[in-house]
């Protein structure tokens, strides 16, 4: 069974920084893309940033220049460094990974971590 465990959320003042981490554990052959999504109250879940196994990155326009996604393939981890946080970044942040195992590729989600930015 594969699990994604997130850490690093919390409360921060506007302009501050937070670092989110996500670790994948279990019988993993390989992880393709990894990413961070967020969902604010009353809104749909949206992509924040994604990174391929070859370190190609993709960011939502709203976070470009402020957030940085990175991964450690040896440790099956993905990290989101969030700088210059704004109140509109407040949401539950979810880690996602496309995991190759047992002859197939499966999308797995973490449990979510709350990020709250005060004005």
């Amino acid at each position: 069974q594969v699990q994604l465990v997130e850490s690093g959320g919390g409360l921060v003042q506007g302009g501050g920084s937070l670092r989110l981490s996500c670790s994948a554990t279990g019988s993993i052959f390989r992880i393709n893309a990894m990413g961070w999504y967020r969902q604010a109250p009353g809104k749909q879940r949206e992509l924040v940033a994604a990174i391929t196994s070859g370190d190609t990155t993709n960011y939502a326009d709203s976070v470009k220049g402020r957030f940085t996604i990175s991964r450690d393939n040896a440790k099956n981890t993905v990290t989101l460094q969030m700088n210059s946080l704004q109140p509109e970044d407040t949401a539950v942040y979810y880690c996602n990974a496309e995991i190759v195992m047992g002859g197939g590729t499966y999308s797995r989600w973490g449990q979510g971590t709350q990020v709250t930015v005060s004005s």
Side-chain angles (χ1 to χ4, degrees), residues 27-59:
S27 300
I28 298 169
F29 176 69
R30 186 179 70 246
I31 300 179
N32 293 333
M34 303 184 81
W36 289 94
Y37 291 72
R38 67 187 180 188
Q39 188 166 18
K43 294 187 177 182
Q44 289 190 330
R45 190 174 296 190
E46 62 176 0
L47 174 69
V48 176
I51 185 168
T52 68
S53 57
D55 288 338
T56 298
T57 58
N58 180 40
Y59 294 94

Side-chain angles (χ1 to χ4, degrees), residues 45-89:
R45 190 174 296 190
E46 62 176 0
L47 174 69
V48 176
I51 185 168
T52 68
S53 57
D55 288 338
T56 298
T57 58
N58 180 40
Y59 294 94
D61 287 343
S62 60
V63 307
K64 284 181 181 176
R66 300 188 296 122
F67 292 9
T68 302
I69 189 170
S70 60
R71 65 187 286 174
D72 184 329
N73 292 328
K75 296 181 179 179
N76 290 332
T77 60
V78 62
T79 299
L80 185 68
Q81 177 66 42
M82 305 185 293
N83 298 328
S84 301
L85 283 161
Q86 302 165 3
E88 46 267 41
D89 294 317

